[in-house]
Structures are given as structure tokens and as C-alpha cells.
Amino acid sequence: MKKIAFLIALALASPTLISSGHAQQGAPSPALDVLQRADGVKIVPERFLRAYDPVTIFFATDTGPATGGAEDSPERFVTMEPAVSGAWQWLGPRALQFRPADKWQPLARVKVKMLDHDKGAGGETDTAAAGAGIDGSGCNR
């Protein structure tokens, strides 16, 4: 008898539960875990680097060559303190990537600073290796 009463109550409540579920699906969920800078520039990763992880800078506008390629003068766009040996490579007109020649030093901090090469861009981030890790992203205007 208790089972029948439970099934009847469940049958009566199920349309209400289903309709409230559809109402929630239609509403856009806020993107609380997305870090986005106002000038559109992003330095990735934002916190920690492992052994040979690259550091990639995404620009808001076309900055590099359309086909990509090596960057022989990265100091026009970015500085890294302390200096780390490695290679800078354009992945496309909006993405510049640094690949270290050796592993990142464990627990070391590396400061990557993007220079104001155009009006809307500029920023910096700290990286600590534990690789290494990147702490925060700020605007350098």
C-alpha cells in the first residue's frame, strides 16, 4: 500500500520537476571560471609550468606573420625575467609561443611581461616552475 501511495505521489510531482528542469536549461549559466582581459591579450598557462611546457601569448589583433614562423627579436613584444634559453615561434598572426631549451627549474619564478607594442595591449604574468607557475595577469600601461 505504501508503494502505491509513493508511486501516485511521484507521478503527480514528476511534471513539476520536469518543467522546472527545462526552465533552468534555457537560462545561460554564468562563466565564473573564465579569465579574460579587457584588451583581449592572454598569456597561457596562467599559473604553473611543468618540465617543458611552452608559454603562449595570444594577442587581440594580428601582430605576427600570417603564416607563423620563428621570431628572431622577441624583445619587441615580450620580456622574460630571468632570461631563459629557448625559442620564440609565431603559431599564427595572433599567437607567439616560447619553448624552453631545458626543463623549467622546479619552484623557480619567471616573470613574463608583454610590452605595449600597440595601443590596446600590455600585460605581465609571473611563472613558478613546479614545474614553474604563473601567478596573476596584470596590465602594464
Side-chain angles (χ1 to χ4, degrees):
M1 189 69 165
K2 289 182 181 179
K3 290 182 181 180
I4 293 174
F6 175 72
L7 291 174
I8 292 172
L10 184 62
L12 293 174
S14 62
T16 306
L17 294 173
I18 292 171
S19 66
S20 67
H22 287 299
Q24 290 176 356
Q25 286 178 350
S29 61
L32 301 176
D33 61 345
V34 175
L35 176 65
Q36 184 174 2
R37 291 174 38 124
D39 59 11
V41 175
K42 187 168 184 170
I43 300 175
V44 213
E46 296 165 348
R47 288 216 185 269
F48 296 102
L49 294 167
R50 294 171 300 213
Y52 288 99
D53 279 355
V55 174
T56 307
I57 301 171
F58 294 96
F59 295 90
T61 59
D62 290 354
T63 306
T67 58
E71 175 56 54
D72 296 328
S73 302
E75 61 277 356
R76 297 182 302 159
F77 305 101
V78 65
T79 61
M80 188 177 295
E81 295 174 17
V84 177
S85 62
W88 289 93
Q89 177 86 21
W90 285 101
L91 303 178
R94 295 185 182 201
L96 179 62
Q97 186 175 72
F98 174 77
R99 290 194 170 271
D102 297 317
K103 290 182 181 180
W104 293 105
Q105 294 298 315
L107 303 177
R109 296 190 72 75
V110 177
K111 186 176 193 178
V112 178
K113 183 176 180 181
M114 199 190 90
L115 304 176
D116 288 341
H117 68 282
D118 65 19
K119 290 184 256 180
E124 64 182 61
T125 188
D126 281 338
T127 302
I134 296 181
D135 275 335
S137 179
C139 195
N140 178 37
R141 294 187 197 198

